[in-house]
Amino acid sequence: MKRAGFSTRWLPVLLLLPQLLIIAVFFYWPAAHAVQSSFFLQDPFGFGSTFVGLDNYSDLAGNSEYLSIAWFTVIFTVLVTFFSLSIALLLAVKADNVLRGAKTYRTLLMWVYAVAPPVAGFIGLILFNQSWGPLTEMARSIGWDFKLGVNFNDTATAMVIVSVWKQVPVNFIFFLSGLQSIPRSVREAALIDNRSSTGRFWDVTFPLLAPTGFFLLIINITYALFDTFGVIDTMVKGEPGNNPMTLVYKVYVDGFRGNDLGGSSAQSVVLMVLVLALTVFQFRLVERRIHYT
């Protein structure tokens, strides 16, 4: 078979140049600027800056509020990732078995994908409204006095629910595609070997979905860390200051509301390093257990 190639070495470089320019302008340059700003104490109005070395980082290490927000971010990320993946997988398995009305069923599950995070957060405000929110009324019916924006745990619960609701359709699409790509011959052989549907799922279907699941694991962790900003900002803006927030939202609060540009830059650098380390850990350790067919 003849191997495809380019007539000149500069053609592939020219084809990649627009994407490389976008990455350089919107990622590498801001990242380098953030690293530089993290070593300075800057005037918020741009009149000057003072080099402080690693003081911004040492302040973060000794800040109990920042550490508590970091711990909440870990819990929030784990909950959103777990429930988003598990609910989507359950719905995908059920949708894959639907014979009548399959297109309508799948469309109803996927339409939330078109909702932007701030809009999802606004819908969450309506659902959890203290006066007439339907989910608030449902909570009160079981004796739970739900107070969004006032009670820390209640607000955190609402943030997790809305974030999971927003992400489930994306996972559902990928899981359903993965299920439909499993050969029929494999399913028929599994049906002969194991009559239990649960046993067939864990012994055959779930291992074959492992590559898709690994990809979605990375996507969902990234979503929980960064893309939930719009949901959080909409649900806690203007409320009492004891509301929960994630690390990426604290970067915004300290930088744009507190005018602490050096401290917020240090926080963004720490968050970038943590995400990079997490990604390397996933690809080096977790992916070794994933077998692609």
Side-chain angles (χ1 to χ4, degrees), residues 7-46:
S7 58
T8 173
R9 68 174 60 181
W10 296 110
L11 180 57
V13 176
L14 291 176
L15 295 175
L16 290 173
L17 187 60
Q19 182 65 32
L20 294 176
L21 288 177
I22 292 175
I23 295 175
V25 171
F26 292 99
F27 179 75
Y28 290 114
W29 180 76
H33 185 70
V35 173
Q36 179 184 4
S37 300
S38 65
F39 298 110
F40 290 86
L41 181 63
Q42 299 185 6
D43 186 275
F45 301 101

Side-chain angles (χ1 to χ4, degrees), residues 25-291:
V25 171
F26 292 99
F27 179 75
Y28 290 114
W29 180 76
H33 185 70
V35 173
Q36 179 184 4
S37 300
S38 65
F39 298 110
F40 290 86
L41 181 63
Q42 299 185 6
D43 186 275
F45 301 101
F47 292 114
S49 58
T50 304
F51 181 78
V52 295
L54 298 176
D55 288 353
N56 289 325
Y57 294 96
S58 61
D59 291 342
L60 293 179
N63 191 333
S64 59
E65 180 186 5
Y66 180 79
L67 296 178
S68 62
I69 293 176
W71 178 242
F72 172 78
T73 302
V74 172
I75 299 175
F76 177 81
T77 302
V78 171
L79 291 177
V80 171
T81 302
F82 173 76
F83 285 110
S84 298
L85 290 175
S86 58
I87 295 175
L89 180 58
L90 176 63
L91 294 176
V93 171
K94 297 301 181 182
D96 190 44
N97 296 328
V98 171
L99 297 179
R100 293 184 179 180
K103 293 183 179 180
T104 303
Y105 180 75
R106 295 166 187 173
T107 302
L108 291 175
L109 291 175
M110 291 187 293
W111 73 271
V112 185
Y113 179 64
V115 178
V119 177
F122 180 74
I123 294 175
L125 288 177
I126 296 176
L127 295 176
F128 290 101
N129 185 278
Q130 294 188 31
S131 300
W132 43 264
L135 294 184
T136 302
E137 294 296 332
M138 185 183 302
R140 288 174 180 171
S141 65
I142 60 175
W144 183 0
D145 188 15
F146 197 96
K147 295 181 179 180
L148 177 65
V150 177
N151 184 276
F152 183 94
N153 294 327
D154 293 348
T155 307
T157 301
M159 288 166 48
V160 170
I161 292 175
V162 175
S163 299
V164 170
W165 172 73
K166 174 67 179 69
Q167 185 65 7
V168 163
V170 181
N171 300 332
F172 169 77
I173 295 172
F174 281 96
F175 276 134
L176 184 60
S177 300
L179 287 171
Q180 294 179 345
S181 65
I182 298 176
R184 181 177 296 272
S185 59
V186 175
R187 297 191 179 190
E188 292 176 350
L191 183 61
I192 296 174
D193 294 337
N194 193 338
R195 301 296 299 179
S196 173
S197 59
T198 303
R200 290 196 306 272
F201 174 79
W202 291 111
D203 295 338
V204 178
T205 306
F206 188 77
L208 292 175
L209 284 176
T212 303
F214 173 72
F215 168 76
L216 290 177
L217 177 64
I218 300 175
I219 295 299
N220 280 261
I221 291 177
T222 305
Y223 163 79
L225 287 173
F226 296 101
D227 292 346
T228 53
F229 175 89
V231 174
I232 298 173
D233 183 50
T234 305
M235 298 189 72
V236 306
K237 183 182 296 184
E239 299 294 344
N242 62 340
N243 277 321
M245 67 177 70
T246 58
L247 289 176
V248 67
Y249 191 70
K250 182 170 175 55
V251 172
Y252 165 77
V253 170
D254 290 353
F256 289 89
R257 294 186 182 180
N259 293 325
D260 184 10
L261 302 182
S264 62
S265 297
Q267 295 176 35
S268 65
V269 173
V270 171
L271 187 59
M272 180 175 60
V273 172
L274 290 177
V275 172
L276 178 61
L278 179 61
T279 304
V280 172
F281 170 78
Q282 288 179 331
F283 277 97
R284 289 294 181 87
L285 298 180
V286 179
E287 191 180 20
R288 290 180 179 179
R289 301 180 181 271
I290 305 299
H291 301 282

